[in-house]
Amino acid sequence: MDVIYPRCAGLDIHSETIVACALWEEAGQIQKEIQTFSTFSKGLGDLLQWLEERGITHVAMESTGVYWKPVFAFLEGYFDLTLANPQRIKNVPGRKTDVSDAEWIAKLLRHGLVEKSFVPPADIRELRDLTRLRKKWIGQLVSEKNRIQKVLESTNIKLGTVISDIFGVSGRNILARLLEKGYVDEADLEECLRGRVKKKKQAIYDSLLDTLTEHDLLLIRLSWKHITELESLIDKVDQHIDRLLEPYQQEVELLMTMLGVKKETAAVVIAEMGTDMSVFETPPSLASWTGLSPGNHESAGKRKSTRTTKGNPHLRSALCEAAWALSRCRNQPLAAKFWSLAARRGKKKALIATARRMLTIIFCMISRKEPFRQPQLN
């Protein structure tokens, strides 16, 4: 096979060690050298020096857990780095050792047989960490709210059956009085209610007639404290996300012109796939990377499972949420297509199809720097 990169190296990375295999050509002969390094900072410095002494220009490594991240960050800027999907560069069965893995990766890279995984720039990686952390904390926040709701229901306080959101302004005021006294009288309830909820005053009062025990109050207070701490932390994360999004305000504004996409969704889209669409080349490639493409499994002329491929779960879930929000606008073409598909194939498949359409539109919007325009659907 043709040699694409004459001076290259493969790295097999573990938590404590890195096995490096360097390949280069000298006097018509292929030279090979294998060395093991520590993953400590000194070991990474030794690895960098070892690679430079041998004139290495291209380096490939597997994306094993999070172990590759410090190595990639350390070598970034010195070599042309390739992060490979382990599933696509499996070694020959029966010859599995760390040394042979590093050599196999180097050989594949030498002949250009390693496909690069998408690694965004450093600022986008920082933004990605914050958006994923925010998503995790939002999930914990919802869990704590559900825990309070469960305690209230177990004590026969049916506040959730009268107020749609017990953590709205009126609901929070009522919960604060409950935690303070253990009950809410009519005078206190009048002060707690805001807006249209006042019309349900009698029903709310009837739902609060039971009294919370000290044990119930303790459980709610602990969850309430966790909620306030999480909300404070999420606000701080939002501030950092806004700061990192300042260079990408044009893309954020373009994305927010699309129905169903709010600022938080735009931040996730930029954090997960960046703003350089030339990396993905085409919308179908981006859809496959996201996990919104149908599977392709055919054998003996029979087409089997077409379930969607695995991809980026964070971007996929954000687009599905946006697609579900878009489906509420029934007078819009994309929403009409969603309900047309839902009637024939079910809401779940319609949701995936709509999310893929939205991703294709986002690809074009960012590539062309154009705002959202309603598509003409048949």
Side-chain angles (χ1 to χ4, degrees), residues 25-44:
E25 193 168 334
E26 191 173 296
Q29 298 292 325
I30 298 176
Q31 305 296 320
K32 177 180 71 174
E33 191 171 342
I34 297 174
Q35 187 74 30
T36 301
F37 300 90
S38 166
T39 54
F40 295 154
S41 297
K42 183 181 182 302
L44 294 180

Side-chain angles (χ1 to χ4, degrees), residues 15-270:
S15 62
E16 297 180 0
T17 60
I18 303 171
V19 179
C21 175
L23 296 177
W24 69 95
E25 193 168 334
E26 191 173 296
Q29 298 292 325
I30 298 176
Q31 305 296 320
K32 177 180 71 174
E33 191 171 342
I34 297 174
Q35 187 74 30
T36 301
F37 300 90
S38 166
T39 54
F40 295 154
S41 297
K42 183 181 182 302
L44 294 180
D46 294 339
L47 171 64
L48 174 60
Q49 182 180 357
W50 185 80
L51 292 172
E52 287 183 332
E53 288 175 353
R54 283 143 189 81
I56 299 301
T57 58
H58 292 72
V59 178
M61 65 190 77
E62 290 181 329
S63 57
T64 51
V66 296
Y67 301 138
W68 66 270
K69 290 187 177 181
V71 181
F72 191 97
F74 195 91
L75 299 180
E76 195 174 17
Y78 295 96
F79 309 99
D80 187 308
L81 297 179
T82 297
L83 183 68
N85 187 338
Q87 186 181 17
R88 299 186 180 182
I89 58 170
K90 286 182 179 179
N91 204 340
V92 180
R95 299 186 62 187
K96 177 70 175 73
T97 64
D98 296 341
V99 172
S100 64
D101 277 349
E103 184 179 350
W104 178 252
I105 294 171
K107 287 180 178 178
L108 291 177
L109 178 63
R110 177 177 170 82
H111 298 291
L113 298 176
V114 181
E115 183 181 357
K116 282 189 175 183
S117 295
F118 170 56
V119 180
D123 58 336
I124 294 291
R125 295 203 296 267
E126 292 177 5
L127 180 62
R128 175 183 287 185
D129 290 337
L130 289 173
T131 55
R132 291 182 180 182
L133 179 62
R134 184 183 187 277
K135 179 182 177 182
K136 183 69 68 175
W137 280 347
I138 289 290
Q140 294 179 9
L141 184 65
V142 172
S143 296
E144 288 297 341
K145 289 180 178 180
N146 290 339
R147 191 168 287 112
I148 290 179
Q149 176 76 8
K150 180 180 178 181
V151 174
L152 293 175
E153 287 289 339
S154 65
T155 57
N156 203 35
I157 292 181
K158 301 288 186 179
L159 185 61
T161 62
V162 183
I163 302 178
S164 58
D165 182 14
I166 66 172
F167 293 95
V169 177
S170 300
R172 285 175 179 263
N173 291 337
I174 294 171
L175 287 174
R177 292 299 175 89
L178 276 173
L179 294 177
E180 181 182 348
K181 296 181 177 180
Y183 64 91
V184 179
D185 54 31
E186 286 196 68
D188 292 335
L189 186 61
E190 185 70 33
E191 297 177 4
C192 294
L193 300 181
R194 299 287 186 274
R196 292 182 295 177
V197 181
K198 291 182 178 180
K199 298 178 182 179
K200 301 179 180 179
K201 177 184 173 182
Q202 188 57 47
I204 293 173
Y205 181 71
D206 293 340
S207 70
L208 296 171
L209 286 179
D210 218 317
T211 304
L212 293 169
T213 64
E214 285 299 324
H215 175 69
D216 298 328
L217 289 172
L218 174 63
L219 292 176
I220 295 176
R221 286 192 182 109
L222 293 173
S223 294
W224 185 265
K225 183 178 181 181
H226 195 193
I227 286 173
T228 54
E229 290 175 351
L230 284 171
E231 288 176 340
S232 175
L233 291 171
I234 290 170
D235 288 339
K236 291 180 180 178
V237 169
D238 287 337
Q239 293 173 11
H240 287 289
I241 289 175
D242 292 339
R243 178 177 57 81
L244 290 173
L245 282 176
E246 287 178 0
Y248 305 100
Q249 281 303 310
Q250 181 185 8
E251 287 80 7
V252 172
E253 292 172 2
L254 288 175
L255 290 172
M256 290 178 64
T257 61
M258 191 174 193
L259 292 172
V261 177
K262 55 184 180 178
K263 188 175 182 180
E264 291 78 9
T265 308
V268 173
V269 170
I270 293 174

